[in-house]
Amino acid sequence: AQSVAQPEDQVNVAEGNPLTVKCTYSVSGNPYLFWYVQYPNRGLQFLLKYITGDNLVKGSYGFEAEFNKSQTSFHLKKPSALVSDSALYFCAVRDINTGGFKTIFGAGTRLFVKA
Amino acid sequence: DTGVSQDPRHKITKRGQNVTFRCDPISEHNRLYWYRQTLGQGPEFLTYFQNEAQLEKSRLLSDRFSAERPKGSFSTLEIQRTEQGDSAMYLCASSPGPGTEDEQFFGPGTRLTVL
């Protein structure tokens, strides 16, 4: 069965510092991996995805994520955090070998960036 | 605005009543998804449509829940005989297809409160 774990409920970082939001996954086959962000009173927005190829993927707003197959991780990173990055971040996985489109989301990590 | 829209945005109902939610996906998207999100959790997959065909349905979706997408455009999610445990945010998302790797575009959600 597919599953996603986001081990940190909350991440605090000072503006200008690098940030990492952690995600590990479990699928029986090969994964498609996604990061979404949810700002207050707004719907979830797509940030980036890993499908195949280069393990480092770049996305919106300066975010990037690194796929690590041996550690089954897909951590979200940004070199320099902004206060406006404060939001709720969700990691998600889809098992491409099952042939379906069921996407499993993690419980979310709240990011606080302090000025 | 050409994003995913949901109606109503908020619904308060009494236990035992039926409720229906509507989702209008992005016009050229042929895939449509319903999720449920409770406080502190990520979205939980409920069901998925490819055009008008409902292709996958979660075990979370009891017999009281039904979803339709009659013409492959908008979709409705009906909950019969609502229970307090149905209180949640119901999210709709769409994606263009035809590949399996496409990200989802989410609507703002319908918040259901069952008294």
Side-chain angles (χ1 to χ4, degrees), chain B residues 70-104:
Chain B
K71 296 183 179 179
S73 56
F74 73 92
S75 175
T76 58
L77 178 69
E78 181 182 16
I79 309 174
Q80 296 182 328
R81 305 181 303 283
T82 53
E83 303 172 356
Q84 288 185 326
D86 297 330
S87 295
M89 178 75 85
Y90 290 84
L91 301 174
C92 176
S94 68
S95 66
T100 58
E101 72 278 8
D102 49 332
E103 63 272 21
Q104 295 168 35

Side-chain angles (χ1 to χ4, degrees), chain A residues 33-108:
Chain A
L33 293 155
F34 304 83
W35 276 100
Y36 289 84
V37 60
Q38 189 171 36
Y39 297 102
N41 299 315
R42 295 178 66 179
L44 275 82
Q45 298 176 33
F46 168 75
L47 271 182
L48 51 79
K49 64 184 177 184
Y50 171 81
I51 303 302
T52 187
D54 193 346
N55 288 344
L56 183 66
V57 293
K58 295 186 183 296
S60 307
Y61 311 119
F63 283 93
E64 58 189 28
E66 186 166 13
F67 171 62
N68 187 316
K69 188 172 184 177
S70 62
Q71 297 186 1
T72 62
S73 67
F74 189 56
H75 300 331
L76 182 70
K77 300 181 180 183
K78 187 173 183 181
S80 178
L82 299 173
V83 171
S84 57
D85 293 330
S86 299
L88 190 55
Y89 291 81
F90 293 97
C91 181
V93 67
R94 186 183 299 160
D95 187 341
I96 64 174
N97 290 73
T98 64
F101 293 86
K102 182 177 180 179
T103 303
I104 302 299
F105 285 79

Side-chain angles (χ1 to χ4, degrees), chain B residues 35-94:
Chain B
Y35 293 87
R36 180 172 64 189
Q37 186 178 20
T38 53
L39 198 62
Q41 297 298 317
E44 294 177 285
F45 172 82
L46 292 178
T47 191
Y48 150 69
F49 289 86
Q50 172 89 23
N51 298 313
E52 66 275 12
Q54 187 174 19
L55 297 184
E56 199 164 348
K57 193 174 173 180
S58 168
R59 285 190 293 269
L60 293 172
L61 219 60
S62 75
D63 291 344
R64 297 184 298 105
F65 287 71
S66 63
E68 293 182 344
R69 195 182 182 197
K71 296 183 179 179
S73 56
F74 73 92
S75 175
T76 58
L77 178 69
E78 181 182 16
I79 309 174
Q80 296 182 328
R81 305 181 303 283
T82 53
E83 303 172 356
Q84 288 185 326
D86 297 330
S87 295
M89 178 75 85
Y90 290 84
L91 301 174
C92 176
S94 68

